[in-house]
Amino acid sequence: MDLNHLKNNLNSTPAYVFDENIISSNIAELVNLRNNSDCQVLYSVKALPLEQVLNLVKPALDGFSVSSLFEARIAKETSTEKNSIHITSPGLRDHEFKEITELCSHISFNSITQSLRLQKTNKQASLGLRLNPKLSFAKDQRFDPCRPFSKLGIALDSLTDIPKEIEGIHFHTVFSNTDYLPLEKTIHLLEQQFGAQLKQLKWLNMGGGYLYPQINNQQPFIDLVKRLKSQYGLEIFIEPGKAVVGNAGFLVTSVIDCFISDGKNIAVLDTSVNHNPEVFEYQKSPHLLQTEKQGNGHPYLLVGSSCLAGDIFGEYTFKNQLKIGDRLVFSNVGAYSLIKANRFNGYNLPDVYWLDKHHKVSLIKHNDYQDYRQQW
Ligand SMILES: *Cc1c(COP(=O)(O)O)cnc(C)c1O
């Protein structure tokens, strides 16, 4: 799809555009991986709970992974009978738990205290434990589930016997990883700790965090899953989020002011980091379509329109000077973007467009003043 053409035909900016063909191709890659390894693939709803995405996932993958009651409800509403719904969260609430056990097929408790408090309320879900192997792979502690004093999961080395009511184990330790080394190391530790005890379990959920479709050599994954299945008789689940929608989302924005500050060209956009908060959280510039190599054109600092001084997307170079009304497209912003977007400063949320498989573009979500008013 020619996004250049598309961006000039959108009726409004700022706008998120989600490309069905890219999502379908990611799903097809995951289906391949599933077929080659005989694992089951769940979509992690928190990355982008957009109905259109859930409807694409429903018939193709094996279900959903959720982190809260609301996510469990939206997953259940779009599920078929044969879809699994897995939940794990440090935030399970006592008063919501009965409903959660009715919505979710698999529950992985985040702590021993959580499991002792809640498991007696369970009737039908298969119960598991989220374990933390304490193997750090992320450089930034804020995004490392295995950081010191982590709140995410039970320390693997603190658990010598798997309680008899527990049927599964869950772990999730990486983010945007493009090789399977962390997975192999984690499984090695798990086997060291439990050995043949793993045979008493029914399932193992290996979390998300890998960009599966972008990994060239799938053989290590396939071999690992096949071995775990044959050696211990386990059902194996993975639950990617970003791998399904990350590269399928685009943020289209317009330049609304240009000026020079301390000798640098500044271009103000009609969006802000509040529409994609991870830009600020990670201090990472999102990829912009159509920029020149540095030194080859006109450099600009692209900034958001909020009052926050650090509301900056980054420095980008353009062939021509930018002018008011120019439209720019950030790519690879499909995951953890729209779901975290907010109306700080009273600026409206971006519109949402769906680019369907025939390249037809339609507006699927528009907010207005009444939505803002109602929120407050
Ligand atoms: C966030 C999360 C996922 C999905 O992670 P991605 O990086 O989007 O693949 C899966 N499982 C758990 C427990 C998570 O917290």
Side-chain angles (χ1 to χ4, degrees):
M1 179 62 200
D2 183 358
L3 256 143
N4 255 328
H5 174 71
L6 170 71
K7 78 173 190 216
N8 294 317
N9 286 293
L10 291 183
N11 288 327
S12 52
T13 66
Y16 272 103
V17 181
F18 294 98
D19 186 332
E20 176 175 345
N21 281 324
I22 300 179
I23 298 171
S24 294
S25 124
N26 291 335
I27 291 176
E29 295 271 346
L30 288 162
V31 167
N32 251 335
L33 186 63
R34 173 183 66 185
N35 294 345
N36 290 332
S37 65
D38 204 17
C39 70
Q40 300 194 48
V41 184
L42 314 170
Y43 171 56
S44 179
V45 168
K46 72 172 195 252
L48 180 68
L50 194 66
E51 185 171 9
Q52 282 77 358
V53 175
L54 304 185
N55 284 334
L56 283 178
V57 163
K58 171 171 68 172
L61 300 181
D62 303 290
F64 300 95
S65 130
V66 302
S67 17
S68 63
L69 177 62
F70 284 4
E71 284 191 358
R73 283 187 190 163
I74 205 174
K76 187 71 174 184
E77 278 176 27
T78 34
S79 281
T80 64
E81 270 308 302
K82 66 176 193 23
N83 286 159
S84 303
I85 300 179
H86 287 223
I87 191 169
T88 186
S89 168
L92 297 179
R93 281 119 165 95
D94 291 25
H95 67 279
E96 295 177 346
F97 193 67
K98 184 167 171 291
E99 186 179 348
I100 282 177
T101 66
E102 289 156 8
L103 296 170
C104 298
S105 56
H106 298 67
I107 299 170
S108 296
F109 292 114
N110 182 66
S111 67
I112 294 290
T113 46
Q114 191 188 57
S115 96
L116 293 177
R117 202 171 58 248
L118 297 177
Q119 70 188 10
K120 54 184 179 294
T121 316
N122 177 52
K123 290 215 174 62
Q124 56 212 38
S126 179
L127 299 181
L129 297 177
R130 176 174 182 168
L131 298 184
N132 189 326
K134 298 289 169 83
L135 281 175
S136 287
F137 297 101
K139 282 180 210 84
D140 185 334
Q141 275 200 359
R142 292 174 305 159
F143 311 105
D144 178 12
C146 299
R147 64 184 283 161
F149 317 114
S150 175
K151 62 171 185 176
L152 298 166
I154 301 153
L156 171 64
D157 62 9
S158 72
L159 193 73
T160 40
D161 292 307
I162 302 172
K164 64 173 186 331
E165 62 281 5
I166 293 302
E167 300 184 331
I169 282 177
H170 177 284
F171 62 81
H172 169 79
T173 57
V174 295
F175 184 64
S176 289
N177 222 81
T178 50
D179 71 73
Y180 289 121
L181 213 62
L183 187 61
E184 290 174 312
K185 289 186 172 163
T186 305
I187 294 296
H188 179 72
L189 268 193
L190 198 67
E191 291 186 280
Q192 254 185 352
Q193 182 75 5
F194 297 123
Q197 261 198 85
L198 292 172
K199 285 187 189 160
Q200 81 186 57
L201 298 173
K202 289 190 177 149
W203 51 270
L204 174 65
N205 183 330
M206 310 198 296
Y210 293 85
L211 295 178
Y212 303 91
Q214 290 166 43
I215 299 178
N216 290 329
N217 182 11
Q218 302 288 3
Q219 207 54 45
F221 179 88
I222 295 167
D223 293 344
L224 187 71
V225 171
K226 284 191 164 162
R227 185 174 68 72
L228 290 170
K229 289 183 73 95
S230 68
Q231 203 166 334
Y232 305 109
L234 293 168
E235 265 189 291
I236 308 287
F237 294 90
I238 55 171
E239 43 185 24
K242 192 176 182 186
V244 177
V245 292
N247 60 353
F250 302 84
L251 175 58
V252 184
T253 175
S254 300
V255 175
I256 54 172
D257 195 18
C258 292
F259 54 83
I260 292 171
S261 175
D262 291 332
K264 217 183 243 305
N265 281 316
I266 309 291
V268 183
L269 307 176
D270 63 359
T271 183
S272 78
V273 295
N274 301 299
H275 292 165
N276 189 0
E278 289 197 342
V279 171
F280 188 76
E281 290 170 18
Y282 287 67
Q283 290 294 302
K284 213 172 132 194
S285 292
H287 189 258
L288 189 77
L289 295 183
Q290 276 196 297
T291 44
E292 303 291 315
K293 286 214 174 58
Q294 274 191 350
N296 273 353
H298 304 274
Y300 281 84
L301 205 57
L302 298 184
V303 304
S305 36
S306 81
C307 67
L308 176 70
D311 177 5
I312 297 171
F313 285 86
E315 189 158 321
Y316 299 83
T317 306
F318 298 88
K319 193 157 106 205
N320 302 311
Q321 278 187 337
L322 291 179
K323 52 188 191 314
I324 289 168
D326 280 352
R327 287 185 172 183
L328 304 175
V329 183
F330 291 108
S331 61
N332 213 14
V333 292
Y336 307 110
S337 47
L338 186 57
I339 183 64
K340 292 187 172 184
N342 64 67
R343 300 183 182 90
F344 184 53
N345 274 190
Y347 285 110
N348 201 2
L349 291 172
D351 284 341
V352 181
Y353 290 86
W354 184 251
L355 182 59
D356 77 10
K357 58 175 183 278
H358 309 295
H359 302 304
K360 191 169 136 322
V361 62
S362 38
L363 179 69
I364 55 174
K365 186 81 191 167
H366 172 75
N367 290 272
D368 55 26
Y369 172 67
Q370 285 311 323
D371 298 295
Y372 170 75
R373 184 70 187 90
Q374 197 207 329
Q375 185 179 7
W376 302 113

